[in-house]
Amino acid sequence: MAQIRMLFFFLIISSSLFGSFQEDSLQLTVYYQDALIHPDRSVEMRSKIKKLAESKKQTLVWKETCLFLEARFLVQSGQFEAAEKAAKSGLKLFDPKEKNGAKFYNLLGSVAALRQDYERAIHYYKLSLELLDLNGDKLQAAYIKNNIANTFFSLTDYKSAYTYAKEAFIESKELNDTLYMPSIEAILAVSEVKMGKLESAKLHALESIRLSQKYQQPLGLIIGNYSLGEYHLQIKEYQQAEKYYTVSLNIAAQFRQSNYVMLANIGLLTVYNATENYKQAVQAGETALSIAKATNNQNTEYSIYKNLAVAYSKIGQPERAFEFMKSAHEIYRRSTSSDNRKSINELLIKYETEKKEKALAKNELQLAQRNQLVAWLSLILLTIVLAVFVLVRRQKSKLKEQERERKSAVYTALVEGEELERKRLSHEIHDGIQSALVGIQLKLEQETKERHSFQPVLDQLRKVQEDTRRMAHNLMPVSMSENGWNGALELFCKETATASCPIILFNNLNIELSKSSPGKVVFRILQELIQNALKHAKASEINVTVLQEETHLLFMVEDNGIGFDTSLQRAGQGIQSLEDRLKSIHSALFIESSIGKGSVFRFTIPISEFL
């Protein structure tokens, strides 16, 4: 399941934010915009900017204007460190409660968000909101809420992104804002697609395009067409999706909006993979990847790597495919860590909590200074308690290790016993039931030649024979003596795949697992996951991944089928059996699935378990 992480930080650097400028400041804005759109004229424009800035009387308002436009330009051109310095200089011009400081906090939040420091970004956005609320500026507050929605997009928390995007849209519409409402409405449409509110998304996307054309807002056209591309991609109307992504791409390229050029190419990459135009997919994906790397935009790299891996595998470049698949896995592992899973709501709560904790810590420190003797006695007591705790814990750890070894020995015996029982049942079916069915078949065939009356029975009998043959084959212990574990897995995938559902295997394993009980257990688990996907998922493609890392092995089975509600089906007997077997070899099964969006089953095991 592709995970597309998007950044729509268009309001972070808007030219009219937090104030209107006089003629000279508008001229400065033109110079900065010209320097941004035409890099070859950057030196000339910067010279004009400096000359105009120094020619005016250095009033507080003029200093504010120059610093804001400079900081905004630096953000637009990707010079984040210099932009942060300029924004902080702007903050020094005002009293902490003055409204003018809000636009500089907004810029600082945007720099932090583009650096993927979301905790700091929310800190600055919250300070900006507090100033705007204090001064009753609802329109500018709506813009900040839109930026918070964009931050939720970056964390793939689409539910929260939808909540803030909707609030921003409602407030900007009520205030009759024509400057940025088309773009805000387009972002709302994207969030609605992610939430499955497809009809509402389509209406908002079309309206954003109409308003953008009416008020000549190119950014609204870019995002509006992109959102329509997302809508048609969601309902699998790939030709229409390609059309709108291409329109968005062309407008973004015309106005040198590289971030949106990248997003449109990611959309086209997904469309081309879905329509099997893999060479075009590679071209779109490589373009998107080059922009992502140039702008240090890691939020989109997982989707690009994952889809490029599929495209390269389809055009016969497996080594390149392996490279991208491994890169995607590394990003996926980082993004699903406990730190990166925090939602912005938790960060906002954490911000308030930290202020209270700091005040409490200060009081506690003052109390500790007045009671040093009590503190020393507490320290001595704590040392004794810790020593006792360590001794008890060591003893418990030793007992747990002994119990683990005992259970491991028992489980090894059970695995070997299960394989022997499978072999016995396989021979019973093959030598007993299968042989009897063959005899019956021969007799019926002889009778059919004479009477022509048993043909339906013969057809049914052949089906029963095929079913029993398959049962016997599946029950047989895994034969790895000739090809080893890797060869057995490759052969199983090849034999199990069907014309309507190919199985794609990515495997860089260079150690042999066939001689260990855990190796046999893992093979059986992969076998069952693949068979379950074929039987129940109604998938058109199954991806099986085996990646060897420094200390662990990753195993993953992914399908693009109908998916299921994990909260309702996870407790099933089949999944419980898989989890019990993985627990015995110190692993756990992670499941990601939702209705209509396929399923991913993943588990990791230390390499030491197989040695």
Side-chain angles (χ1 to χ4, degrees), residues 436-506:
L437 289 173
V438 170
I440 294 171
Q441 179 187 354
L442 293 174
K443 290 180 182 180
L444 286 174
E445 286 177 346
Q446 183 62 35
E447 291 294 327
T448 299
K449 290 178 181 178
E450 298 174 1
R451 303 183 186 182
H452 306 285
S453 59
F454 296 106
Q455 189 58 47
V457 178
L458 276 170
D459 292 340
Q460 185 65 27
L461 182 60
R462 289 191 183 96
K463 186 176 183 305
V464 173
Q465 283 183 274
E466 179 62 24
D467 288 343
T468 55
R469 186 196 66 79
R470 191 183 301 108
M471 289 170 59
H473 176 73
N474 287 339
L475 281 169
M476 279 294 290
V478 182
S479 177
M480 303 177 185
S481 58
E482 294 182 2
N483 298 318
W485 196 92
N486 288 343
L489 180 59
E490 183 178 355
L491 182 61
F492 175 79
C493 291
K494 182 178 180 181
E495 292 181 346
T496 307
T498 66
S500 61
C501 185
I503 300 175
I504 301 173
L505 174 63
F506 291 96

Side-chain angles (χ1 to χ4, degrees), residues 31-50:
Y31 287 154
Y32 275 118
Q33 192 65 22
D34 201 13
L36 188 68
I37 296 176
H38 304 288
D40 54 320
R41 300 177 59 187
S42 178
V43 175
E44 177 188 353
M45 290 301 104
R46 296 288 283 176
S47 176
K48 290 183 177 181
I49 289 167
K50 183 179 180 181

